[in-house]
Amino acid sequence: LEAKEEVTHTTLAAHAMHPRPGEPPLTLLTQEDMTVGEVRQLVRDSTCNGFPVVASRESHRLIGFALRRDLTLALENASERAEGLDDSSLVLLGPPRAGTARASVTSEPLSCPLHAARPLKLRSIVDDAPLAVSDRTPMDTVVDMFRKLGLRQCLVTRNGRLLGIITKKDVLRHMAQLANEDPKSIMFN
Ligand code: ADP
């Protein structure tokens, strides 16, 4: 009975993550169908420190995580080098397509028209193994992971589909709520 009660009162990752019900959806990058212009605008319009990368808006399959500062730098560097790049160039953030004898050709997105500007390859700035927990993970476990692994953020998924994000500050707010304290007064490390 005791064990059951504990489970009932435990907050799950699903309840601590963003977006909460009624909030705007996550600000996401897709692995190979966004243009330089779209990525620039996303970085300009959002204040978040990082953006999950998904396979597509339909699948929401988690591919990686890109930090805002790395994206900003990479876009600045790319504009300086120019090299046939313009706002309509595609940005490649996901792993290359499965290799074949003609890997260098087939690894580019099939949707890329032949006459389009060359794509901008930014795979190297994407963390392709970001830490993720299931939405049913108890927040006690998530807090432990943040402490022990020194995480800045953790993604929340269900069956590989991205649902949300929990940042270190979200964890601090969660702990403060539990303790009914000011988040700043909680020692994290
Ligand atoms: P911090 O929590 O340290 O301020 P962020 O600025 O990245 O870090 O995040 C601010 C808030 O927005 C957090 O509550 C977080 O859960 C949420 N958040 C973080 N990244 C995203 C994102 N890409 N899309 C939507 N919400 C996000």
Side-chain angles (χ1 to χ4, degrees):
L1 186 66
E2 253 174 40
K4 251 191 195 163
E5 265 177 23
E6 262 173 37
V7 170
T8 319
H9 297 296
T10 300
T11 310
L12 301 176
H15 303 130
M17 72 181 196
H18 285 273
R20 302 267 159 80
E23 280 182 358
L26 280 173
T27 309
L28 294 172
L29 293 162
T30 51
Q31 65 174 340
E32 61 181 22
D33 59 8
M34 287 179 79
T35 63
V36 167
E38 286 168 339
V39 175
R40 273 215 181 95
Q41 186 164 3
L42 180 142
V43 171
R44 236 189 344 250
D45 292 350
S46 163
T47 57
C48 298
N49 292 320
F51 309 99
V53 181
V54 291
S56 69
R57 296 204 178 272
E58 296 72 45
S59 75
H60 264 223
R61 183 164 58 82
L62 181 62
I63 295 288
F65 191 79
L67 287 175
R68 167 200 197 75
R69 61 159 191 271
D70 293 340
L71 268 176
T72 308
L73 268 178
L75 288 170
E76 275 170 15
N77 286 342
S79 324
E80 277 168 23
R81 289 197 320 268
E83 291 168 2
L85 202 72
D86 65 35
D87 266 10
S88 68
S89 308
L90 286 174
V91 181
L92 303 185
L93 297 160
R97 295 252 172 108
T100 65
R102 297 175 66 230
S104 62
V105 174
T106 53
S107 65
E108 303 312 341
L110 299 172
S111 58
C112 175
L114 287 175
H115 55 81
R118 264 179 348 108
L120 173 62
K121 293 178 187 166
L122 293 188
R123 292 163 179 141
S124 60
I125 63 153
V126 176
D127 172 3
D128 61 4
L131 214 114
V133 295
S134 120
D135 59 329
R136 307 288 303 161
T137 309
M139 275 309 286
D140 294 358
T141 309
V142 175
V143 170
D144 270 357
M145 287 169 62
F146 270 80
R147 281 204 174 114
K148 289 181 179 148
L149 303 176
L151 302 178
R152 306 289 313 180
Q153 72 279 316
C154 171
L155 299 169
V156 181
T157 58
R158 186 187 297 167
N159 299 328
R161 189 183 159 87
L162 179 68
L163 297 178
I165 186 167
I166 299 174
T167 66
K168 181 171 165 176
K169 280 191 194 158
D170 292 331
V171 170
L172 287 171
R173 277 189 285 268
H174 164 77
M175 289 165 69
Q177 240 176 10
L178 288 186
N180 215 0
E181 279 178 39
D182 176 359
K184 289 192 194 110
S185 72
I186 293 193
M187 290 296 289
F188 201 64
N189 289 313

PDB file of all heavy atoms in Angstrom, residues 16-20 23-29 42 46-52 65-66 152-155 164-171 173, ligand 1:
ATOM      1  N   ALA A  16       6.570  17.919 -15.592  1.00  0.00           N
ATOM      2  CA  ALA A  16       7.550  18.981 -15.330  1.00  0.00           C
ATOM      3  C   ALA A  16       8.126  19.559 -16.615  1.00  0.00           C
ATOM      4  O   ALA A  16       8.765  20.595 -16.612  1.00  0.00           O
ATOM      5  CB  ALA A  16       8.687  18.423 -14.470  1.00  0.00           C
ATOM      6  N   MET A  17       7.886  18.865 -17.736  1.00  0.00           N
ATOM      7  CA  MET A  17       8.506  19.298 -19.005  1.00  0.00           C
ATOM      8  C   MET A  17       7.736  20.476 -19.610  1.00  0.00           C
ATOM      9  O   MET A  17       6.612  20.788 -19.218  1.00  0.00           O
ATOM     10  CB  MET A  17       8.517  18.122 -19.993  1.00  0.00           C
ATOM     11  CG  MET A  17       7.132  17.812 -20.524  1.00  0.00           C
ATOM     12  SD  MET A  17       7.126  16.428 -21.657  1.00  0.00           S
ATOM     13  CE  MET A  17       5.519  16.686 -22.423  1.00  0.00           C
ATOM     14  N   HIS A  18       8.378  21.107 -20.587  1.00  0.00           N
ATOM     15  CA  HIS A  18       7.703  22.085 -21.439  1.00  0.00           C
ATOM     16  C   HIS A  18       7.622  21.490 -22.830  1.00  0.00           C
ATOM     17  O   HIS A  18       8.535  20.777 -23.233  1.00  0.00           O
ATOM     18  CB  HIS A  18       8.489  23.406 -21.463  1.00  0.00           C
ATOM     19  CG  HIS A  18       8.322  24.180 -20.197  1.00  0.00           C
ATOM     20  ND1 HIS A  18       7.284  25.055 -19.984  1.00  0.00           N
ATOM     21  CD2 HIS A  18       9.051  24.175 -19.058  1.00  0.00           C
ATOM     22  CE1 HIS A  18       7.397  25.574 -18.764  1.00  0.00           C
ATOM     23  NE2 HIS A  18       8.463  25.053 -18.173  1.00  0.00           N
ATOM     24  N   PRO A  19       6.590  21.752 -23.625  1.00  0.00           N
ATOM     25  CA  PRO A  19       5.476  22.614 -23.288  1.00  0.00           C
ATOM     26  C   PRO A  19       4.490  21.942 -22.338  1.00  0.00           C
ATOM     27  O   PRO A  19       4.271  20.745 -22.401  1.00  0.00           O
ATOM     28  CB  PRO A  19       4.810  22.863 -24.646  1.00  0.00           C
ATOM     29  CG  PRO A  19       5.161  21.681 -25.473  1.00  0.00           C
ATOM     30  CD  PRO A  19       6.496  21.203 -24.992  1.00  0.00           C
ATOM     31  N   ARG A  20       3.934  22.779 -21.446  1.00  0.00           N
ATOM     32  CA  ARG A  20       2.814  22.332 -20.603  1.00  0.00           C
ATOM     33  C   ARG A  20       1.554  22.417 -21.460  1.00  0.00           C
ATOM     34  O   ARG A  20       1.553  23.112 -22.493  1.00  0.00           O
ATOM     35  CB  ARG A  20       2.666  23.298 -19.414  1.00  0.00           C
ATOM     36  CG  ARG A  20       3.909  23.415 -18.556  1.00  0.00           C
ATOM     37  CD  ARG A  20       3.838  22.430 -17.393  1.00  0.00           C
ATOM     38  NE  ARG A  20       5.171  22.166 -16.855  1.00  0.00           N
ATOM     39  CZ  ARG A  20       5.814  22.968 -16.021  1.00  0.00           C
ATOM     40  NH1 ARG A  20       5.265  24.090 -15.618  1.00  0.00           N
ATOM     41  NH2 ARG A  20       7.011  22.655 -15.576  1.00  0.00           N
ATOM     42  N   GLU A  23       0.536  25.528 -23.704  1.00  0.00           N
ATOM     43  CA  GLU A  23       1.687  26.327 -24.124  1.00  0.00           C
ATOM     44  C   GLU A  23       1.961  26.094 -25.602  1.00  0.00           C
ATOM     45  O   GLU A  23       1.607  25.046 -26.142  1.00  0.00           O
ATOM     46  CB  GLU A  23       2.933  25.919 -23.331  1.00  0.00           C
ATOM     47  CG  GLU A  23       2.997  26.508 -21.955  1.00  0.00           C
ATOM     48  CD  GLU A  23       4.280  26.122 -21.213  1.00  0.00           C
ATOM     49  OE1 GLU A  23       5.104  25.355 -21.763  1.00  0.00           O
ATOM     50  OE2 GLU A  23       4.437  26.570 -20.082  1.00  0.00           O
ATOM     51  N   PRO A  24       2.637  27.059 -26.254  1.00  0.00           N
ATOM     52  CA  PRO A  24       3.001  26.831 -27.659  1.00  0.00           C
ATOM     53  C   PRO A  24       3.899  25.603 -27.787  1.00  0.00           C
ATOM     54  O   PRO A  24       4.580  25.245 -26.812  1.00  0.00           O
ATOM     55  CB  PRO A  24       3.761  28.100 -28.053  1.00  0.00           C
ATOM     56  CG  PRO A  24       3.687  29.030 -26.906  1.00  0.00           C
ATOM     57  CD  PRO A  24       3.123  28.320 -25.718  1.00  0.00           C
ATOM     58  N   PRO A  25       3.904  24.968 -28.957  1.00  0.00           N
ATOM     59  CA  PRO A  25       4.732  23.758 -29.123  1.00  0.00           C
ATOM     60  C   PRO A  25       6.215  24.055 -29.000  1.00  0.00           C
ATOM     61  O   PRO A  25       6.633  25.219 -29.026  1.00  0.00           O
ATOM     62  CB  PRO A  25       4.398  23.280 -30.540  1.00  0.00           C
ATOM     63  CG  PRO A  25       3.756  24.422 -31.221  1.00  0.00           C
ATOM     64  CD  PRO A  25       3.185  25.325 -30.180  1.00  0.00           C
ATOM     65  N   LEU A  26       7.009  22.997 -28.865  1.00  0.00           N
ATOM     66  CA  LEU A  26       8.469  23.130 -28.808  1.00  0.00           C
ATOM     67  C   LEU A  26       8.994  23.856 -30.047  1.00  0.00           C
ATOM     68  O   LEU A  26       8.438  23.695 -31.138  1.00  0.00           O
ATOM     69  CB  LEU A  26       9.105  21.737 -28.816  1.00  0.00           C
ATOM     70  CG  LEU A  26       9.150  20.948 -27.522  1.00  0.00           C
ATOM     71  CD1 LEU A  26       9.654  19.545 -27.809  1.00  0.00           C
ATOM     72  CD2 LEU A  26      10.052  21.633 -26.513  1.00  0.00           C
ATOM     73  N   THR A  27      10.055  24.610 -29.860  1.00  0.00           N
ATOM     74  CA  THR A  27      10.736  25.193 -31.016  1.00  0.00           C
ATOM     75  C   THR A  27      11.756  24.170 -31.500  1.00  0.00           C
ATOM     76  O   THR A  27      12.694  23.835 -30.775  1.00  0.00           O
ATOM     77  CB  THR A  27      11.434  26.504 -30.623  1.00  0.00           C
ATOM     78  OG1 THR A  27      10.486  27.323 -29.966  1.00  0.00           O
ATOM     79  CG2 THR A  27      11.978  27.213 -31.830  1.00  0.00           C
ATOM     80  N   LEU A  28      11.518  23.661 -32.687  1.00  0.00           N
ATOM     81  CA  LEU A  28      12.266  22.504 -33.191  1.00  0.00           C
ATOM     82  C   LEU A  28      13.019  22.812 -34.460  1.00  0.00           C
ATOM     83  O   LEU A  28      12.647  23.700 -35.216  1.00  0.00           O
ATOM     84  CB  LEU A  28      11.265  21.422 -33.607  1.00  0.00           C
ATOM     85  CG  LEU A  28      10.411  20.748 -32.600  1.00  0.00           C
ATOM     86  CD1 LEU A  28       9.402  19.885 -33.338  1.00  0.00           C
ATOM     87  CD2 LEU A  28      11.277  19.895 -31.698  1.00  0.00           C
ATOM     88  N   LEU A  29      14.035  21.999 -34.708  1.00  0.00           N
ATOM     89  CA  LEU A  29      14.692  22.005 -36.013  1.00  0.00           C
ATOM     90  C   LEU A  29      14.380  20.660 -36.657  1.00  0.00           C
ATOM     91  O   LEU A  29      14.299  19.644 -35.952  1.00  0.00           O
ATOM     92  CB  LEU A  29      16.199  22.134 -35.828  1.00  0.00           C
ATOM     93  CG  LEU A  29      16.691  23.457 -35.259  1.00  0.00           C
ATOM     94  CD1 LEU A  29      18.108  23.291 -34.714  1.00  0.00           C
ATOM     95  CD2 LEU A  29      16.653  24.549 -36.312  1.00  0.00           C
ATOM     96  N   LEU A  42      14.409  31.335 -36.744  1.00  0.00           N
ATOM     97  CA  LEU A  42      14.107  30.583 -35.518  1.00  0.00           C
ATOM     98  C   LEU A  42      15.054  31.018 -34.382  1.00  0.00           C
ATOM     99  O   LEU A  42      14.622  31.259 -33.260  1.00  0.00           O
ATOM    100  CB  LEU A  42      14.249  29.097 -35.825  1.00  0.00           C
ATOM    101  CG  LEU A  42      13.999  28.094 -34.715  1.00  0.00           C
ATOM    102  CD1 LEU A  42      13.290  26.869 -35.279  1.00  0.00           C
ATOM    103  CD2 LEU A  42      15.269  27.679 -34.037  1.00  0.00           C
ATOM    104  N   SER A  46      13.566  33.036 -31.067  1.00  0.00           N
ATOM    105  CA  SER A  46      13.454  32.270 -29.821  1.00  0.00           C
ATOM    106  C   SER A  46      14.575  32.650 -28.861  1.00  0.00           C
ATOM    107  O   SER A  46      15.679  32.981 -29.297  1.00  0.00           O
ATOM    108  CB  SER A  46      13.532  30.781 -30.139  1.00  0.00           C
ATOM    109  OG  SER A  46      13.804  30.063 -28.968  1.00  0.00           O
ATOM    110  N   THR A  47      14.265  32.592 -27.581  1.00  0.00           N
ATOM    111  CA  THR A  47      15.306  32.902 -26.596  1.00  0.00           C
ATOM    112  C   THR A  47      15.870  31.624 -25.973  1.00  0.00           C
ATOM    113  O   THR A  47      16.745  31.694 -25.120  1.00  0.00           O
ATOM    114  CB  THR A  47      14.727  33.779 -25.459  1.00  0.00           C
ATOM    115  OG1 THR A  47      13.624  33.066 -24.892  1.00  0.00           O
ATOM    116  CG2 THR A  47      14.273  35.133 -25.977  1.00  0.00           C
ATOM    117  N   CYS A  48      15.362  30.464 -26.393  1.00  0.00           N
ATOM    118  CA  CYS A  48      15.806  29.198 -25.783  1.00  0.00           C
ATOM    119  C   CYS A  48      17.287  28.955 -26.067  1.00  0.00           C
ATOM    120  O   CYS A  48      17.798  29.337 -27.109  1.00  0.00           O
ATOM    121  CB  CYS A  48      15.004  28.029 -26.326  1.00  0.00           C
ATOM    122  SG  CYS A  48      13.271  28.162 -25.937  1.00  0.00           S
ATOM    123  N   ASN A  49      17.937  28.268 -25.136  1.00  0.00           N
ATOM    124  CA  ASN A  49      19.377  27.995 -25.273  1.00  0.00           C
ATOM    125  C   ASN A  49      19.683  26.889 -26.258  1.00  0.00           C
ATOM    126  O   ASN A  49      20.827  26.709 -26.660  1.00  0.00           O
ATOM    127  CB  ASN A  49      19.967  27.615 -23.921  1.00  0.00           C
ATOM    128  CG  ASN A  49      19.968  28.787 -22.973  1.00  0.00           C
ATOM    129  OD1 ASN A  49      20.255  29.899 -23.380  1.00  0.00           O
ATOM    130  ND2 ASN A  49      19.613  28.545 -21.718  1.00  0.00           N
ATOM    131  N   GLY A  50      18.667  26.097 -26.607  1.00  0.00           N
ATOM    132  CA  GLY A  50      18.931  24.995 -27.526  1.00  0.00           C
ATOM    133  C   GLY A  50      17.651  24.503 -28.178  1.00  0.00           C
ATOM    134  O   GLY A  50      16.545  24.817 -27.718  1.00  0.00           O
ATOM    135  N   PHE A  51      17.839  23.719 -29.242  1.00  0.00           N
ATOM    136  CA  PHE A  51      16.702  23.259 -30.026  1.00  0.00           C
ATOM    137  C   PHE A  51      16.848  21.782 -30.360  1.00  0.00           C
ATOM    138  O   PHE A  51      17.876  21.374 -30.931  1.00  0.00           O
ATOM    139  CB  PHE A  51      16.613  24.064 -31.327  1.00  0.00           C
ATOM    140  CG  PHE A  51      16.646  25.548 -31.085  1.00  0.00           C
ATOM    141  CD1 PHE A  51      17.836  26.256 -31.239  1.00  0.00           C
ATOM    142  CD2 PHE A  51      15.516  26.223 -30.657  1.00  0.00           C
ATOM    143  CE1 PHE A  51      17.889  27.616 -30.983  1.00  0.00           C
ATOM    144  CE2 PHE A  51      15.560  27.579 -30.397  1.00  0.00           C
ATOM    145  CZ  PHE A  51      16.751  28.283 -30.565  1.00  0.00           C
ATOM    146  N   PRO A  52      15.826  20.991 -30.038  1.00  0.00           N
ATOM    147  CA  PRO A  52      15.865  19.590 -30.443  1.00  0.00           C
ATOM    148  C   PRO A  52      15.801  19.492 -31.969  1.00  0.00           C
ATOM    149  O   PRO A  52      15.157  20.323 -32.617  1.00  0.00           O
ATOM    150  CB  PRO A  52      14.596  18.997 -29.821  1.00  0.00           C
ATOM    151  CG  PRO A  52      14.124  19.986 -28.811  1.00  0.00           C
ATOM    152  CD  PRO A  52      14.599  21.322 -29.280  1.00  0.00           C
ATOM    153  N   PHE A  65      20.324  17.391 -30.691  1.00  0.00           N
ATOM    154  CA  PHE A  65      20.069  18.657 -30.002  1.00  0.00           C
ATOM    155  C   PHE A  65      21.160  19.641 -30.420  1.00  0.00           C
ATOM    156  O   PHE A  65      22.343  19.288 -30.434  1.00  0.00           O
ATOM    157  CB  PHE A  65      20.104  18.421 -28.488  1.00  0.00           C
ATOM    158  CG  PHE A  65      19.596  19.580 -27.691  1.00  0.00           C
ATOM    159  CD1 PHE A  65      18.229  19.804 -27.549  1.00  0.00           C
ATOM    160  CD2 PHE A  65      20.481  20.468 -27.086  1.00  0.00           C
ATOM    161  CE1 PHE A  65      17.741  20.881 -26.810  1.00  0.00           C
ATOM    162  CE2 PHE A  65      20.007  21.545 -26.348  1.00  0.00           C
ATOM    163  CZ  PHE A  65      18.641  21.755 -26.209  1.00  0.00           C
ATOM    164  N   ALA A  66      20.741  20.856 -30.766  1.00  0.00           N
ATOM    165  CA  ALA A  66      21.722  21.866 -31.186  1.00  0.00           C
ATOM    166  C   ALA A  66      21.634  23.066 -30.256  1.00  0.00           C
ATOM    167  O   ALA A  66      20.539  23.566 -29.976  1.00  0.00           O
ATOM    168  CB  ALA A  66      21.446  22.297 -32.619  1.00  0.00           C
ATOM    169  N   ARG A 152      22.497  20.038 -18.482  1.00  0.00           N
ATOM    170  CA  ARG A 152      21.908  21.384 -18.672  1.00  0.00           C
ATOM    171  C   ARG A 152      20.447  21.225 -19.092  1.00  0.00           C
ATOM    172  O   ARG A 152      19.610  22.060 -18.799  1.00  0.00           O
ATOM    173  CB  ARG A 152      22.636  22.174 -19.762  1.00  0.00           C
ATOM    174  CG  ARG A 152      24.120  22.312 -19.600  1.00  0.00           C
ATOM    175  CD  ARG A 152      24.511  23.221 -18.481  1.00  0.00           C
ATOM    176  NE  ARG A 152      23.783  24.478 -18.487  1.00  0.00           N
ATOM    177  CZ  ARG A 152      23.963  25.434 -17.588  1.00  0.00           C
ATOM    178  NH1 ARG A 152      24.840  25.258 -16.617  1.00  0.00           N
ATOM    179  NH2 ARG A 152      23.267  26.547 -17.640  1.00  0.00           N
ATOM    180  N   GLN A 153      20.171  20.160 -19.832  1.00  0.00           N
ATOM    181  CA  GLN A 153      18.787  19.882 -20.240  1.00  0.00           C
ATOM    182  C   GLN A 153      18.645  18.399 -20.544  1.00  0.00           C
ATOM    183  O   GLN A 153      19.637  17.695 -20.714  1.00  0.00           O
ATOM    184  CB  GLN A 153      18.364  20.706 -21.477  1.00  0.00           C
ATOM    185  CG  GLN A 153      18.989  20.294 -22.773  1.00  0.00           C
ATOM    186  CD  GLN A 153      20.379  20.829 -22.961  1.00  0.00           C
ATOM    187  OE1 GLN A 153      20.629  21.985 -22.684  1.00  0.00           O
ATOM    188  NE2 GLN A 153      21.284  19.986 -23.401  1.00  0.00           N
ATOM    189  N   CYS A 154      17.393  17.972 -20.587  1.00  0.00           N
ATOM    190  CA  CYS A 154      17.097  16.577 -20.861  1.00  0.00           C
ATOM    191  C   CYS A 154      15.818  16.568 -21.695  1.00  0.00           C
ATOM    192  O   CYS A 154      14.892  17.345 -21.428  1.00  0.00           O
ATOM    193  CB  CYS A 154      16.885  15.905 -19.506  1.00  0.00           C
ATOM    194  SG  CYS A 154      16.270  14.257 -19.600  1.00  0.00           S
ATOM    195  N   LEU A 155      15.791  15.731 -22.711  1.00  0.00           N
ATOM    196  CA  LEU A 155      14.603  15.688 -23.564  1.00  0.00           C
ATOM    197  C   LEU A 155      13.650  14.616 -23.062  1.00  0.00           C
ATOM    198  O   LEU A 155      14.078  13.669 -22.392  1.00  0.00           O
ATOM    199  CB  LEU A 155      15.026  15.440 -25.004  1.00  0.00           C
ATOM    200  CG  LEU A 155      15.922  16.572 -25.514  1.00  0.00           C
ATOM    201  CD1 LEU A 155      16.578  16.227 -26.828  1.00  0.00           C
ATOM    202  CD2 LEU A 155      15.143  17.869 -25.626  1.00  0.00           C
ATOM    203  N   GLY A 164       8.889  16.750 -25.159  1.00  0.00           N
ATOM    204  CA  GLY A 164       9.177  17.990 -24.431  1.00  0.00           C
ATOM    205  C   GLY A 164      10.620  18.075 -23.991  1.00  0.00           C
ATOM    206  O   GLY A 164      11.462  17.241 -24.338  1.00  0.00           O
ATOM    207  N   ILE A 165      10.883  19.108 -23.185  1.00  0.00           N
ATOM    208  CA  ILE A 165      12.237  19.362 -22.694  1.00  0.00           C
ATOM    209  C   ILE A 165      12.161  19.792 -21.225  1.00  0.00           C
ATOM    210  O   ILE A 165      11.184  20.416 -20.804  1.00  0.00           O
ATOM    211  CB  ILE A 165      12.926  20.453 -23.560  1.00  0.00           C
ATOM    212  CG1 ILE A 165      14.388  20.643 -23.163  1.00  0.00           C
ATOM    213  CG2 ILE A 165      12.198  21.787 -23.487  1.00  0.00           C
ATOM    214  CD1 ILE A 165      15.200  21.467 -24.167  1.00  0.00           C
ATOM    215  N   ILE A 166      13.179  19.393 -20.471  1.00  0.00           N
ATOM    216  CA  ILE A 166      13.309  19.839 -19.071  1.00  0.00           C
ATOM    217  C   ILE A 166      14.708  20.441 -18.952  1.00  0.00           C
ATOM    218  O   ILE A 166      15.695  19.764 -19.270  1.00  0.00           O
ATOM    219  CB  ILE A 166      13.178  18.652 -18.097  1.00  0.00           C
ATOM    220  CG1 ILE A 166      11.810  17.990 -18.239  1.00  0.00           C
ATOM    221  CG2 ILE A 166      13.390  19.120 -16.655  1.00  0.00           C
ATOM    222  CD1 ILE A 166      11.656  16.712 -17.402  1.00  0.00           C
ATOM    223  N   THR A 167      14.791  21.705 -18.543  1.00  0.00           N
ATOM    224  CA  THR A 167      16.116  22.322 -18.371  1.00  0.00           C
ATOM    225  C   THR A 167      16.489  22.275 -16.886  1.00  0.00           C
ATOM    226  O   THR A 167      15.659  21.976 -16.021  1.00  0.00           O
ATOM    227  CB  THR A 167      16.130  23.786 -18.836  1.00  0.00           C
ATOM    228  OG1 THR A 167      15.279  24.540 -17.982  1.00  0.00           O
ATOM    229  CG2 THR A 167      15.692  23.920 -20.283  1.00  0.00           C
ATOM    230  N   LYS A 168      17.755  22.625 -16.629  1.00  0.00           N
ATOM    231  CA  LYS A 168      18.235  22.640 -15.251  1.00  0.00           C
ATOM    232  C   LYS A 168      17.372  23.592 -14.391  1.00  0.00           C
ATOM    233  O   LYS A 168      17.019  23.271 -13.265  1.00  0.00           O
ATOM    234  CB  LYS A 168      19.699  23.090 -15.258  1.00  0.00           C
ATOM    235  CG  LYS A 168      20.358  23.138 -13.914  1.00  0.00           C
ATOM    236  CD  LYS A 168      21.832  23.365 -14.096  1.00  0.00           C
ATOM    237  CE  LYS A 168      22.483  23.776 -12.784  1.00  0.00           C
ATOM    238  NZ  LYS A 168      23.936  23.911 -12.901  1.00  0.00           N
ATOM    239  N   LYS A 169      17.009  24.739 -14.996  1.00  0.00           N
ATOM    240  CA  LYS A 169      16.165  25.677 -14.234  1.00  0.00           C
ATOM    241  C   LYS A 169      14.778  25.109 -13.973  1.00  0.00           C
ATOM    242  O   LYS A 169      14.185  25.362 -12.930  1.00  0.00           O
ATOM    243  CB  LYS A 169      16.044  27.014 -14.970  1.00  0.00           C
ATOM    244  CG  LYS A 169      17.246  27.903 -14.762  1.00  0.00           C
ATOM    245  CD  LYS A 169      16.989  29.292 -15.265  1.00  0.00           C
ATOM    246  CE  LYS A 169      18.307  30.047 -15.351  1.00  0.00           C
ATOM    247  NZ  LYS A 169      18.247  31.172 -16.289  1.00  0.00           N
ATOM    248  N   ASP A 170      14.254  24.321 -14.939  1.00  0.00           N
ATOM    249  CA  ASP A 170      12.954  23.662 -14.710  1.00  0.00           C
ATOM    250  C   ASP A 170      13.059  22.722 -13.507  1.00  0.00           C
ATOM    251  O   ASP A 170      12.136  22.627 -12.697  1.00  0.00           O
ATOM    252  CB  ASP A 170      12.531  22.844 -15.942  1.00  0.00           C
ATOM    253  CG  ASP A 170      12.185  23.716 -17.147  1.00  0.00           C
ATOM    254  OD1 ASP A 170      11.748  24.861 -16.946  1.00  0.00           O
ATOM    255  OD2 ASP A 170      12.363  23.237 -18.279  1.00  0.00           O
ATOM    256  N   VAL A 171      14.202  22.017 -13.420  1.00  0.00           N
ATOM    257  CA  VAL A 171      14.405  21.086 -12.307  1.00  0.00           C
ATOM    258  C   VAL A 171      14.475  21.863 -10.994  1.00  0.00           C
ATOM    259  O   VAL A 171      13.865  21.469  -9.989  1.00  0.00           O
ATOM    260  CB  VAL A 171      15.685  20.244 -12.523  1.00  0.00           C
ATOM    261  CG1 VAL A 171      16.040  19.448 -11.287  1.00  0.00           C
ATOM    262  CG2 VAL A 171      15.505  19.297 -13.700  1.00  0.00           C
ATOM    263  N   ARG A 173      13.111  24.732 -10.371  1.00  0.00           N
ATOM    264  CA  ARG A 173      11.759  25.211 -10.054  1.00  0.00           C
ATOM    265  C   ARG A 173      10.923  24.082  -9.478  1.00  0.00           C
ATOM    266  O   ARG A 173      10.188  24.275  -8.512  1.00  0.00           O
ATOM    267  CB  ARG A 173      11.086  25.781 -11.313  1.00  0.00           C
ATOM    268  CG  ARG A 173      11.481  27.218 -11.599  1.00  0.00           C
ATOM    269  CD  ARG A 173      10.627  27.800 -12.714  1.00  0.00           C
ATOM    270  NE  ARG A 173      11.029  27.293 -14.010  1.00  0.00           N
ATOM    271  CZ  ARG A 173      11.918  27.911 -14.795  1.00  0.00           C
ATOM    272  NH1 ARG A 173      12.439  29.057 -14.424  1.00  0.00           N
ATOM    273  NH2 ARG A 173      12.256  27.389 -15.951  1.00  0.00           N
TER     274      ARG A 173
HETATM  275  P1  ADP B   1      16.519  28.008 -18.921  1.00  0.00           P
HETATM  276  O1  ADP B   1      15.489  27.066 -18.387  1.00  0.00           O
HETATM  277  O2  ADP B   1      17.871  27.833 -18.324  1.00  0.00           O
HETATM  278  O3  ADP B   1      16.040  29.455 -18.924  1.00  0.00           O
HETATM  279  P2  ADP B   1      16.049  27.972 -21.785  1.00  0.00           P
HETATM  280  O4  ADP B   1      16.111  29.463 -22.028  1.00  0.00           O
HETATM  281  O5  ADP B   1      16.637  27.095 -22.850  1.00  0.00           O
HETATM  282  O6  ADP B   1      16.784  27.576 -20.449  1.00  0.00           O
HETATM  283  O7  ADP B   1      14.543  27.552 -21.556  1.00  0.00           O
HETATM  284  C1  ADP B   1      13.559  28.410 -21.037  1.00  0.00           C
HETATM  285  C2  ADP B   1      12.256  27.620 -20.882  1.00  0.00           C
HETATM  286  O8  ADP B   1      11.796  27.188 -22.149  1.00  0.00           O
HETATM  287  C3  ADP B   1      12.412  26.361 -20.030  1.00  0.00           C
HETATM  288  O9  ADP B   1      11.296  26.277 -19.154  1.00  0.00           O
HETATM  289  C4  ADP B   1      12.428  25.203 -21.009  1.00  0.00           C
HETATM  290  O10 ADP B   1      11.744  24.066 -20.527  1.00  0.00           O
HETATM  291  C5  ADP B   1      11.739  25.766 -22.233  1.00  0.00           C
HETATM  292  N1  ADP B   1      12.453  25.396 -23.472  1.00  0.00           N
HETATM  293  C6  ADP B   1      13.768  25.152 -23.639  1.00  0.00           C
HETATM  294  N2  ADP B   1      14.060  24.875 -24.914  1.00  0.00           N
HETATM  295  C7  ADP B   1      12.887  24.935 -25.582  1.00  0.00           C
HETATM  296  C8  ADP B   1      12.507  24.761 -26.952  1.00  0.00           C
HETATM  297  N3  ADP B   1      13.394  24.485 -27.895  1.00  0.00           N
HETATM  298  N4  ADP B   1      11.189  24.914 -27.272  1.00  0.00           N
HETATM  299  C9  ADP B   1      10.280  25.236 -26.330  1.00  0.00           C
HETATM  300  N5  ADP B   1      10.570  25.418 -25.035  1.00  0.00           N
HETATM  301  C10 ADP B   1      11.855  25.270 -24.653  1.00  0.00           C
END
